[in-house]
């Protein structure tokens, strides 16, 4: 079951995904009624697997979260990534680059936050903004951003070849769902801090963002660094799908506890 869901959400290299034909409300037969319990079970698995990652020296995990405003990046962090022991997990938010960051190549700020061996790094936005917001707003000329897809693939290949497992999630919501979520941010005092007037200008560029995402998904889903498209209108399904794929990814890393040091097994503490 799990394997099938993961398989269906995976962007196969070169598959040219069309976001308009992927329903953000899709739930693949999963039931809302059992979602809470299923998520709890998956969170327990995540905790166990991360413990093995932390204990051994069997690699590192990089999780990339991308999606348009209100797509649920924060919610995914809160509901899924909190299963990880904070000792071995860092979350990095990539916002508008600082002058110092802009003075370097665009991967410089990202590379500093890739996971150390034994740890998980979660990127809330990422180097992909450099072919998303940067492309949509023409912050650099096309000749510059259009070369970045290959550069990003090579960067990720380099990380993978050096022991980092990479998994990337695109949280796919509908335009209507975004309208409702933005409206809720305006109308709810506790959510208002998340709203910026600029969010409405970004919304006007919906189609441009979708085209930019399609190119990312088409060109940058690789064997060593796959993209998954997560239908995300229903938050419970989004959480379940992300958690399942993380469990499967960590499972495949074949993590095991390090062998006991010499003379330890059978020792009796007086
Ligand atoms: P938020 O995720 O709501 O905190 O917003 C972060 C903002 O930073 C978003 O509007 C992103 O588009 C923007 N941002 C992230 N990376 C870049 C980048 N490389 N260049 C320009 N803007 C960026
Ligand atoms: Mg925002």
């Amino acid at each position: 079951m799990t394997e099938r869901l993961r398989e269906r959400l995976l962007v196969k290299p070169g598959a040219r995904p069309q976001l308009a034909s992927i329903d953000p409300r899709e739930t693949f037969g999963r039931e809302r009624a059992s979602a809470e319990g299923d998520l709890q079970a998956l969170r327990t698995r995540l905790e166990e697997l991360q413990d093995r990652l932390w204990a051994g020296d069997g690699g590192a995990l990089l999780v990339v979260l991308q999606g348009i405003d209100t797509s649920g990046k924060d919610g995914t962090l809160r509901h899924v990534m909190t299963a990880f022991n904070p000792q071995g997990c860092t979350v990095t938010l990539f916002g508008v680059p600082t002058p110092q960051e802009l003075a370097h190549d665009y991967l410089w700020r990202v590379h500093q936050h890739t996971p150390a061996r034994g740890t998980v790094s979660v990127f809330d936005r990422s180097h992909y903004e450099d072919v998303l917001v940067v492309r949509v707003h023409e912050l650099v000329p096309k000749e510059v951003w259009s070369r970045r897809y290959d550069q990003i693939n090579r960067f990720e290949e380099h990380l993978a070849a050096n022991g980092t497992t990479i998994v990337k999630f695109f949280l796919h919501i509908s335009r209507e769902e975004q309208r409702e979520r933005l409206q809720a941010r305006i109308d709810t005092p506790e959510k208002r801090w998340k709203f910026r007037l600029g969010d409405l200008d970004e919304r006007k560029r919906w189609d441009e963002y979708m085209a930019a995402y399609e190119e990312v998904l088409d060109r940058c889903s690789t064997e060593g660094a796959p993209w998954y498209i997560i239908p995300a209108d229903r938050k419970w399904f989004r959480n379940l799908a992300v958690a399942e794929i993380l469990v499967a990814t960590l499972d495949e890393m074949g993590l095991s506890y390090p062998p006991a040091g010499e003379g330890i097994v059978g020792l009796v503490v007086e």
Side-chain angles (χ1 to χ4, degrees), residues 157-178:
E157 197 183 324
H158 164 77
L159 295 177
N162 285 279
T164 299
T165 297
I166 305 171
V167 59
K168 303 178 291 195
F169 297 107
F170 168 60
L171 306 181
H172 178 43
I173 59 167
S174 62
R175 201 157 186 271
E176 173 56 18
E177 183 69 22
Q178 190 196 44

Side-chain angles (χ1 to χ4, degrees), residues 6-146:
R6 180 188 185 205
E7 184 71 14
R8 291 177 81 164
L9 301 179
L10 172 72
V11 180
K12 291 172 189 79
R16 296 207 144 268
Q18 310 258 307
L19 290 173
S21 68
I22 300 172
D23 183 1
R25 300 180 73 78
E26 179 65 76
T27 58
F28 295 97
R30 299 306 168 97
E31 304 281 347
R32 176 167 197 161
S34 56
E36 185 90 359
D38 294 345
L39 182 61
Q40 273 323 313
L42 289 162
R43 286 177 54 97
T44 303
R45 277 299 286 152
L46 283 177
E47 208 183 314
E48 291 165 359
L49 288 161
Q50 187 215 6
D51 193 56
R52 286 194 225 171
L53 179 66
W54 177 246
D57 56 1
L61 179 66
L62 172 61
V63 183
V64 171
L65 274 183
Q66 282 285 165
I68 206 124
D69 283 328
T70 76
S71 60
K73 298 186 292 294
D74 294 351
T76 307
L77 287 168
R78 229 172 29 247
H79 293 281
V80 182
M81 312 311 175
T82 45
F84 292 132
N85 176 348
Q87 205 172 18
C89 177
T90 58
V91 177
T92 310
L93 276 73
F94 291 98
V96 178
T98 63
Q100 196 199 14
E101 288 169 348
L102 280 176
H104 290 81
D105 77 273
Y106 68 102
L107 293 173
W108 178 78
R109 67 169 180 166
V110 174
H111 205 158
Q112 302 174 55
H113 296 283
T114 55
R117 256 192 300 284
T119 71
V120 180
S121 277
V122 185
F123 287 179
D124 176 345
R125 302 187 192 267
S126 65
H127 43 300
Y128 284 98
E129 292 293 332
D130 292 283
V131 282
L132 292 163
V133 64
V134 167
R135 163 178 164 160
V136 169
H137 288 273
E138 298 177 70
L139 300 179
V140 300
K142 181 172 183 181
E143 304 86 79
V144 175
W145 62 253
S146 60

Side-chain angles (χ1 to χ4, degrees), residues 176-266:
E176 173 56 18
E177 183 69 22
Q178 190 196 44
R179 192 192 62 70
E180 284 175 24
R181 292 186 187 182
L182 284 173
Q183 192 66 56
R185 284 187 180 180
I186 293 168
D187 297 343
T188 317
E190 295 76 23
K191 291 186 176 173
R192 216 165 274 152
W193 63 274
K194 280 197 185 191
F195 183 80
R196 291 175 305 115
L197 278 176
D199 293 348
L200 298 180
D201 299 321
E202 294 298 271
R203 178 169 163 77
K204 291 193 187 117
R205 298 171 185 265
W206 181 273
D207 291 339
E208 292 162 75
Y209 271 105
M210 290 306 120
Y213 267 110
E214 278 179 352
E215 186 146 3
V216 161
L217 296 163
D218 178 38
R219 297 184 61 181
C220 299
S221 193
T222 59
E223 199 164 328
W227 272 107
Y228 293 90
I229 299 173
I230 308 295
D233 272 12
R234 298 178 202 267
K235 296 172 181 171
W236 63 266
F237 178 79
R238 171 202 75 202
N239 294 338
L240 217 54
V242 169
E244 281 196 20
I245 292 166
L246 285 177
V247 166
T249 303
L250 281 159
D251 252 334
E252 265 174 17
M253 289 170 72
L255 303 164
S256 53
Y257 285 105
E262 185 129 351
I264 291 183
V265 177

